[in-house]
Amino acid sequence: INTLDTILILRLEDGADSFISVHGTFLPSCFGMDLDALLTLGSSPVLSVETLGDSGRQLLQQGLARPQGLALPAAAEADLLGLQVEGLGVSGSRASSSELAAGQRASSPSGVEDRVPKEVQRLVNFLRANQRLHVQGLFTNSIQACLASSATQESSSRQQLLRSPSQLQQLLAATAPVRWALDTGLDFPSHATAHQAAAALLLMLQQLPDSFMPPDVSAVLLHCVPPPASCTSLLSDSMSVAEWATARHLISFFKAALLPEAASVNGLSADALAAALADVMYGGPAPVPAELGSNRVLFIKALLDPDAAAQQQQAEAVAAVVAPAAVAAVALGAAQAAVTAKQRQTEDEDSLL
């Protein structure tokens, strides 16, 4: 458990300063940690249940409480995380190493997994299992699905939901079972859903200390989108070893979600998935200019489906050439029509004379 002790100074114009002492306790979480820091933990969880004191166990119990307004199966009410909480004691089963190993064999190229934080691997492996990649609206509608209990949020975009403090707080509560399992290293609860895991993965990417997409990539996208092959090179050259390994791991996973057998059920397309990822992978203020927003989506699409992205770039290049030509043709036609009208007017005036 960590503590926070600080003093805030409330300064009033033409008045005396007031000093406010603030004390707080909080539990560490993998959400908000950078990928390199997570990797240094190895097989140890971010939050060790065994070493928690009384106050820490009390905070853990509060975190395990059923989120208000979140519909859960009746069997889950007494066991929100697959844990047994008795008094101040907490016990549960650890996520087995075989769980990670089984997912590693199918999720990304050989050797990459050693540099991918286990929390990312667990989310990916969970979503790969039991046909969860076939869930309708996976990623594109997962955040809204987690907040389905609030009717006022259905019309909000993903960016609005992620940037609104009140709605973000509700999303954190809705994904609590998955987040607590990741933080403590315990098994995912049996009632955890694909949408909860997908929303948790989006949250993890969105809450990194620095944006998942490096500044070098964002700087290039201000001007253009490189060819798909260059997109991969630009990304790998701009990332740390852990970041690039995680990117490869996730790209391999997202490509699996776009395979015909999965996409025909979950409704995903490269464009829709790229748009969902763009909402969480880039930092900075929102909204952004339309052209930059389009470039961000196309860059991710180039990583997910290089052929489709290349075709889109070619079509846009042709349109960029054709459009000025079309405008010029219209202008020429208008000029010719004006000349013809002027000639007719002159001829009519001559005939009157």
Side-chain angles (χ1 to χ4, degrees):
I1 188 170
N2 296 328
T3 60
L4 172 68
D5 291 283
T6 189
I7 296 177
L8 302 180
I9 301 176
L10 179 61
R11 182 160 295 164
L12 300 178
E13 186 175 356
D14 298 328
D17 291 346
S18 298
F19 298 88
I20 305 173
S21 298
V22 178
H23 172 77
T25 57
F26 61 94
L27 298 176
S29 174
C30 60
F31 290 77
M33 292 182 63
D34 66 60
L35 299 174
D36 291 284
L38 286 175
L39 192 61
T40 61
L41 295 174
S43 60
S44 301
V46 174
L47 177 61
S48 177
V49 176
E50 290 80 3
T51 59
L52 288 177
D54 290 348
S55 58
R57 291 176 183 270
Q58 185 176 2
L59 287 175
L60 179 57
Q61 289 187 27
Q62 294 173 359
L64 297 178
R66 174 178 174 177
Q68 293 183 357
L70 180 63
L72 294 174
E77 294 185 11
D79 182 16
L80 189 60
L81 276 181
L83 306 174
Q84 292 75 45
V85 182
E86 300 177 358
L88 293 179
V90 181
S91 63
S93 58
R94 292 289 183 193
S96 63
S97 58
S98 60
E99 172 193 337
L100 290 177
Q104 288 173 356
R105 288 192 292 269
S107 57
S108 63
S110 176
V112 171
E113 306 84 9
D114 294 338
R115 295 293 183 176
V116 180
K118 62 185 177 302
E119 291 80 8
V120 175
Q121 293 187 49
R122 290 189 62 196
L123 284 172
V124 168
N125 297 343
F126 177 82
L127 287 166
R128 279 183 175 272
N130 299 326
Q131 302 293 309
R132 293 188 183 97
L133 285 182
H134 292 193
V135 172
Q136 178 69 32
L138 191 67
F139 289 110
T140 57
N141 196 47
S142 291
I143 291 177
Q144 291 87 337
C146 288
L147 298 176
S149 58
S150 177
T152 60
Q153 293 158 358
E154 293 182 359
S155 60
S156 299
S157 67
R158 280 185 302 269
Q159 279 195 347
Q160 291 173 327
L161 293 174
L162 288 168
R163 293 180 183 275
S164 167
S166 60
Q167 293 176 340
L168 179 58
Q169 189 66 30
Q170 294 180 46
L171 182 59
L172 289 172
T175 57
V178 171
R179 294 189 301 104
W180 278 100
L182 290 173
D183 286 338
T184 58
L186 297 164
D187 287 332
F188 289 119
S190 58
H191 57 76
T193 68
H195 281 309
Q196 284 178 316
L201 180 56
L202 294 177
L203 272 175
M204 181 174 287
L205 295 173
Q206 190 258 350
Q207 294 191 353
L208 290 171
D210 299 310
S211 64
F212 185 76
M213 287 296 176
D216 289 349
V217 171
S218 297
V220 171
L221 296 180
L222 287 171
H223 307 286
C224 67
V225 180
S230 299
C231 289
T232 302
S233 300
L234 173 62
L235 190 61
S236 63
D237 293 343
S238 305
M239 287 182 154
S240 69
V241 174
E243 291 169 343
W244 175 232
T246 301
R248 291 181 62 190
H249 191 75
L250 290 176
I251 290 169
S252 175
F253 164 64
F254 291 134
K255 285 182 176 180
L258 291 171
L259 291 175
E261 57 267 28
S264 62
V265 183
N266 61 34
L268 276 179
S269 67
D271 289 293
L273 181 55
L277 296 176
D279 286 343
V280 298
M281 285 186 170
Y282 297 94
V288 298
E291 183 177 358
L292 176 57
S294 299
N295 287 353
R296 288 179 169 183
V297 173
L298 182 56
F299 182 84
I300 296 177
K301 182 180 177 180
L303 302 174
L304 302 176
D305 191 342
D307 293 338
Q311 292 176 1
Q312 180 179 337
Q313 286 179 316
Q314 292 174 357
E316 291 176 352
V318 171
V321 173
V322 171
V327 171
V330 171
L332 178 60
Q336 290 176 340
V339 170
T340 301
K342 182 63 175 178
Q343 289 175 344
R344 289 178 179 175
Q345 181 180 359
T346 303
E347 292 173 354
D348 291 341
E349 289 176 352
D350 291 343
S351 63
L352 290 175
L353 292 175

